[in-house]
Amino acid sequence: MTVPDDSSSENEDRGHGHKGHIQQSMETFKEGMKRAILVVVIGLVIGAVEFGTTSILAEMIVAKFSIVQELVEADQSQWKVLLVILPCAALIAAVVLYLAPIAAGSSLPEIKGFLNGAHVPGLFGIVTTFIKTFGVIGVIGCGFPVGREGPMVQLGCALANIILRIPIFGNMIRVQHDPRKRKDQEAIEEMHERTLIVTIGGAAGIAAAFRSPIGGVMYMMEDMASFWQHETTVRAFGCTTVATLIFSILLNASHGINYHALVIFDDDPVHTDWKVFDIPFFAILALICGLLSVAYSEILFYFQRIRKHRKRWTSPKFKVLEVFLCACLICSVPLYIANGFPCVHLPSEHYSCDPKDCNVCNGCCKSFLTLDSATCEACVHDTCDSHDGGAHGDGHGSMSVVRFDCQKDYYNEMATLWLMGEEGAIKQLYSRQGLTSSLFSQKTLVVFLPIYMFLSGLCGGLSIPFGTFVPNLFIGAAFGRLFALFIQDTLGVTGLSAYGTYSLIGAASVLGGYTRMTVTVAVMIAEASGDASIMVPLMLSIVLARWIANFFSECYDEKMLELRHIPFLHDFCSDDKAHDTASTVMQKATTVKSEESFSSLKKLLEERNAHYAAFPVVDDKGALLGLVPGLVLQKTLREAGFSGDNDAEAALKIPMDTIMDPAPYTVRSNFPLSRIFPLIKKLHIEHLVVTDMAGLPVGIIPRTNLVAADGGHVSTLHNKVMNKLDYNSSGMTLRLATVKKSSNPVMYETGELYDDEIAAKRNIRKLSSWIMKPEKGYQERAKDPKANAAGLELTNIGEGKQATI
């Protein structure tokens, strides 16, 4: 008798286990490489595109400045520049209104809603992305007091979404088919992966704009994304790093482009010399800046609200005229005010250097550094060849101060704030070097601040792309410097930090009070200034500003979500509903049997809207067997080919076990509503079954019940994905199960389309048909929204007609 060798069998099992581990590691490595390649490609594209937009915008700002300066020096009217600016502004508004209405504004509330589960039509479309990008370039180039950072978030999200449309990259996130999973489960997993990639793209967009890779990740995590995991952090950080690196490489490699007037980044940072004695003054400044942020957001929201709710003059032609008139005011006021301010002699640091010192990149050379000088050699060349005050120079790209109508060695303070570009002016206000310590007087800043706040707020609701980050930074930086001037020069308090330090604190406080973000703002300001030593006072100031802003007003983004009827599911319920239970928000459950007749199912779908309906499947005793979403049931029946035209087909018994979810989420009827909100949001639940104490289904809580506003029809990204699924195989299963066949599909309504989006798509088709000259016989699609729908679900985010998420 032979005894089996247990040791050999054990070794063999270990060998197989080792091979299995290696094989699993290889599969994990392959999946990781796919994700890494996708992240790198998205970062490369976003960094390169943002470099291109920054280059064009920088050239436009310098060109406008040069034209105005040349007109002034030639004793001609600088108002002639409006002949170019005003038609450009009207053209931008017309393009936005007629081709991509969703491109107006910053689109941050729409993106926030999308990442929460909202489906906003055209938000990341190619046409919208193109118009948004060049629209914001034109708007800022025309002199509107707005920023580009908000639209850059949409640009990053849109580019990531467009890259996923390319088959080779789209396949990288496609979920491998698992026979154990239902088709809708796999589709939902792929939808979540796409949403994650869009989130990463937004992080890369804001990171490249601020040259702040950590700040970009923190911004999406803290303010925008509703769903965030550890893996998202890793991939987002890799993408922002690549995007910022490419942007910086291209920036350093370029010559002759005045980026310093645009990019908020200190090339020669000075470490802050703040002291403990500064802390009380920082706190006072933060509290006042918190009130300033409330005032600015209220002005901006006021104009948003009146333009949204007006009942007259709502036609596109009037909106174009409105942009034209606002452009007249915004572009003429700075010139008029600047003409009323006297010339000021340049500080001695601007021209006290000895020409013999202009042979190395030293402090003297940097004091004459013109902003189109990208290298030390260019710096030496420019400063030594024009030793007559290169810092203000001749107006051709030299924009550290603006001479305007002043003589040599003089400059105009107000013109410097208005004409050199907002981000360039912010850098001057941030500066903590002696060179720019006294460039702006208290009188100039006192006059500038309220006018700028009003004109920037006036842009709210206009049909142009714009952002609000830069205006907040500009307001805070200007008031911070004004506060420092008042404390140190007027009150005579000595031993405090530089004016630029208070400017940094003011900018962070206003932005923190406006966005209600904390860590993100501190990181972005620290990265932009190149000084991490200021982090402690930044954090203290942001917390105080956020506290005072929360006390007086609701967050601007939250109000915009409500104004635009964008459904948004919060992490918690309101205080007045904190003690409610599941029974107070549920819909009465309409149950179906495990085998149901076709006529009864058709009647259910006609009575209940399939977009948010779901039907518990029960046995003969009423016990819960599963859940059938309305959209799944509708599409499966349609693909099955049952028409119900005769009594035989109407009486067909349809088995539910082939299409139902056998393990739905359930809660008791007394389950607290305060626990339902985080449950539905964190687990991505679309339908929650409510049962009584005996376990019998009594109600359904759709996710849309918690976010529907004004009783509007709401549907979700989940519904959009369900609409796109092919249920042909499931329909075949039903046909075989009933041993019946029919050829006419059952059609149901799929909801109305967003009116403005319909008009925009129609205009695009007309434009393309005019350009491409289609063949004879071309016919425009029917004007009926239902005819255009063809199963496509779009969102109405206006006037509360239909909001989809």
Side-chain angles (χ1 to χ4, degrees):
M1 179 176 175
T2 305
V3 180
D5 189 355
D6 294 338
S7 60
S8 61
S9 301
E10 183 178 351
N11 292 334
E12 186 177 353
D13 292 339
R14 289 178 180 177
H16 285 298
H18 183 64
K19 291 181 180 179
H21 176 73
I22 294 178
Q23 184 177 1
Q24 183 179 1
S25 299
M26 288 299 298
E27 292 177 356
T28 304
F29 176 76
K30 290 179 181 179
E31 291 297 321
M33 286 300 298
K34 288 181 180 179
R35 295 178 179 181
I37 292 172
L38 183 59
V39 165
V40 171
V41 169
I42 292 175
L44 288 172
V45 172
I46 293 176
V49 171
E50 291 219 21
F51 169 78
T53 59
T54 304
S55 303
I56 298 173
L57 184 53
E59 287 295 292
M60 289 185 65
I61 292 177
V62 175
K64 184 187 72 172
F65 169 80
S66 300
I67 292 173
V68 173
Q69 188 65 48
E70 288 175 358
L71 290 174
V72 172
E73 292 177 354
D75 294 328
Q76 299 183 25
S77 174
Q78 62 266 34
W79 306 99
K80 291 181 179 180
V81 73
L82 299 181
L83 298 177
V84 178
I85 291 177
L86 298 182
C88 290
L91 177 62
I92 293 170
V95 171
V96 169
L97 281 166
Y98 285 99
L99 298 183
I102 195 66
S106 67
S107 298
L108 291 183
E110 287 83 356
I111 297 173
K112 195 170 182 177
F114 174 86
L115 297 179
N116 186 258
H119 169 52
V120 184
L123 181 61
F124 301 136
I126 296 177
V127 175
T128 302
T129 304
F130 182 84
I131 293 176
K132 184 86 169 185
T133 303
F134 287 94
V136 75
I137 290 174
V139 166
I140 297 177
C142 288
F144 280 78
V146 296
R148 64 187 176 92
E149 278 70 14
M152 290 301 103
V153 177
Q154 183 180 4
L155 175 62
C157 293
L159 289 175
N161 186 64
I162 292 171
I163 289 173
L164 289 180
R165 294 185 182 181
I166 303 174
I168 188 174
F169 298 114
N171 292 333
M172 291 182 178
I173 66 167
R174 190 150 296 149
V175 178
Q176 293 183 356
H177 176 66
D178 187 347
R180 295 171 296 179
K181 293 183 179 179
R182 300 191 318 276
K183 185 180 300 183
D184 56 331
Q185 289 180 324
E186 293 181 350
I188 291 172
E189 291 177 6
E190 185 174 333
M191 178 191 71
H192 292 163
E193 182 70 14
R194 286 181 176 273
T195 305
L196 184 149
I197 296 299
V198 170
T199 305
I200 291 173
I206 192 69
F210 274 103
R211 294 179 71 178
S212 173
I214 301 176
V217 177
M218 295 302 302
Y219 173 73
M220 297 302 291
M221 181 191 300
E222 186 175 3
D223 187 57
M224 299 298 292
S226 296
F227 311 103
W228 196 272
Q229 299 175 352
H230 172 71
E231 184 182 0
T232 310
T233 305
V234 177
R235 296 166 71 179
F237 184 73
C239 191
T240 57
T241 302
V242 173
T244 308
L245 180 62
I246 292 301
F247 184 86
S248 301
I249 291 174
L250 295 175
L251 199 69
N252 295 331
S254 61
H255 298 282
I257 300 179
N258 183 14
Y259 296 108
H260 295 69
L262 191 62
V263 180
I264 304 178
F265 193 87
D266 197 346
D267 295 310
D268 188 23
V270 177
H271 291 291
T272 305
D273 57 345
W274 67 275
K275 310 172 184 63
V276 177
F277 187 58
D278 288 303
I279 295 298
F281 296 103
F282 288 160
I284 297 172
L285 174 61
L287 293 174
I288 299 175
C289 285
L291 296 176
L292 273 180
S293 68
V294 171
Y296 174 68
S297 64
E298 288 299 322
I299 294 172
L300 195 64
F301 185 71
Y302 171 77
F303 286 106
Q304 291 271 11
R305 186 174 62 250
I306 62 174
R307 286 175 176 139
K308 179 69 175 179
H309 291 157
R310 63 187 173 192
K311 298 181 180 179
R312 301 176 60 186
W313 305 306
T314 58
S315 66
K317 294 180 180 179
F318 174 79
K319 292 181 180 180
V320 173
L321 177 61
E322 183 181 34
V323 172
F324 181 85
L325 296 177
C326 289
C328 291
L329 180 64
I330 290 171
C331 297
S332 59
V333 166
L335 296 176
Y336 178 80
I337 297 177
N339 285 326
F341 271 73
C343 297
V344 180
H345 198 277
L346 280 169
S348 58
E349 293 93 336
H350 278 276
Y351 54 86
S352 61
C353 286
D354 192 336
K356 67 181 181 180
D357 294 329
C358 289
N359 55 2
V360 291
C361 263
N362 54 15
C364 174
C365 185
K366 290 176 183 177
S367 69
F368 288 98
L369 180 60
T370 57
L371 297 181
D372 59 348
S373 300
T375 64
C376 176
E377 291 75 12
C379 168
V380 173
H381 178 269
D382 291 341
T383 55
C384 295
D385 288 352
S386 58
H387 193 66
D388 59 348
H392 63 299
D394 58 3
H396 299 277
S398 177
M399 295 170 59
S400 58
V401 290
V402 177
R403 184 152 53 89
F404 200 56
D405 57 351
C406 302
Q407 300 297 322
K408 177 183 176 182
D409 295 333
Y410 287 82
Y411 72 102
N412 189 304
E413 294 182 353
M414 189 61 72
T416 299
L417 287 173
W418 283 107
L419 297 180
M420 71 179 300
E422 291 174 290
E423 298 186 37
I426 291 173
K427 287 180 65 174
Q428 292 290 354
L429 294 169
Y430 279 177
S431 177
R432 286 154 286 171
Q433 298 182 10
L435 173 65
T436 54
S437 59
S438 56
L439 284 180
F440 306 105
S441 64
Q442 295 185 49
K443 177 183 176 181
T444 301
L445 295 174
V446 166
V447 174
F448 169 78
L449 267 172
I451 298 175
Y452 180 85
M453 286 181 63
F454 174 79
L455 293 181
S456 182
L458 183 64
C459 297
L462 289 179
S463 299
I464 55 174
F466 67 89
T468 55
F469 271 44
V470 169
N472 277 283
L473 292 174
F474 204 179
I475 292 169
F479 183 79
R481 183 167 282 260
L482 174 62
F483 181 83
L485 287 169
F486 176 76
I487 294 295
Q488 299 186 38
D489 296 354
T490 303
L491 299 184
V493 180
T494 59
L496 298 181
S497 299
Y499 303 139
T501 302
Y502 281 83
S503 184
L504 284 170
I505 297 296
S509 301
V510 172
L511 186 59
Y514 176 83
T515 61
R516 311 299 161 88
M517 294 187 298
T518 53
V519 180
T520 302
V521 177
V523 170
M524 282 186 172
I525 297 296
E527 286 187 298
S529 63
D531 181 13
S533 64
I534 200 174
M535 185 64 75
V536 173
L538 278 179
M539 294 174 66
L540 172 64
S541 303
I542 292 169
V543 169
L544 291 175
R546 185 179 186 274
W547 174 78
I548 198 71
N550 278 330
F551 182 82
F552 283 99
S553 176
E554 189 181 3
C555 179
Y556 174 78
D557 286 345
E558 296 291 333
K559 294 190 291 186
M560 287 302 300
L561 287 170
E562 296 177 4
L563 181 66
R564 298 187 181 182
H565 301 284
I566 301 174
F568 189 87
L569 181 63
H570 294 275
D571 293 327
F572 49 86
C573 61
S574 57
D575 295 336
D576 58 335
K577 296 182 178 180
H579 300 288
D580 291 347
T581 60
S583 59
T584 61
V585 296
M586 72 179 187
Q587 296 177 354
K588 185 178 179 180
T590 303
T591 61
V592 296
K593 297 295 182 62
S594 57
E595 286 190 356
E596 196 74 41
S597 67
F598 176 79
S599 59
S600 61
L601 292 176
K602 181 179 178 181
K603 184 178 180 180
L604 282 178
L605 292 172
E606 289 174 346
E607 293 176 351
R608 302 284 301 277
N609 195 304
H611 283 295
Y612 60 86
F615 307 103
V617 181
V618 297
D619 59 14
D620 295 335
K621 297 181 179 180
L624 182 65
L625 298 177
L627 185 71
V628 178
L631 278 173
V632 174
L633 180 60
Q634 173 186 291
K635 294 204 69 177
T636 306
L637 292 177
R638 182 185 304 174
E639 295 295 338
F642 300 131
S643 63
D645 293 337
N646 52 65
D647 295 340
E649 284 194 354
L652 291 176
K653 293 295 183 179
I654 308 296
M656 296 290 103
D657 57 344
T658 59
I659 56 176
M660 72 178 184
D661 179 2
Y665 290 95
T666 62
V667 294
R668 293 285 182 88
S669 57
N670 61 349
F671 198 80
L673 189 60
S674 59
R675 294 164 62 183
I676 290 178
F677 270 82
L679 178 68
I680 287 183
K681 181 177 178 180
K682 299 301 182 183
L683 297 181
H684 305 274
I685 300 174
E686 293 298 325
H687 299 94
L688 193 62
V689 181
V690 182
T691 64
D692 59 13
M693 295 302 177
L696 304 179
V698 294
I700 293 288
I701 302 179
R703 181 178 186 272
T704 53
N705 266 28
L706 304 181
V707 296
D710 302 326
H713 171 119
V714 182
S715 108
T716 62
L717 271 178
H718 169 272
N719 300 139
K720 180 174 181 288
V721 172
M722 294 300 101
N723 271 328
K724 290 186 175 183
L725 285 180
D726 181 12
Y727 278 97
N728 185 46
S729 59
S730 299
M732 178 64 71
T733 303
L734 286 183
R735 285 199 298 269
L736 295 176
T738 56
V739 201
K740 297 290 182 180
K741 294 185 180 180
S742 180
S743 57
N744 298 322
V746 182
M747 301 299 294
Y748 296 96
E749 296 180 1
T750 56
E752 296 181 357
L753 295 176
Y754 182 26
D755 297 339
D756 291 344
E757 199 65 26
I758 294 173
K761 290 181 180 297
R762 188 177 297 120
N763 292 331
I764 293 173
R765 288 197 300 270
K766 289 180 179 179
L767 182 63
S768 61
S769 65
W770 178 75
I771 295 175
M772 303 300 296
K773 297 181 180 179
E775 299 178 0
K776 187 176 180 180
Y778 171 81
Q779 294 181 354
E780 187 181 358
R781 293 184 182 180
K783 295 182 179 181
D784 182 12
K786 296 177 183 179
N788 283 338
L792 176 66
E793 178 190 344
L794 296 178
T795 305
N796 189 339
I797 56 174
E799 300 303 312
K801 296 178 182 177
Q802 175 186 341
T804 64
I805 59 173

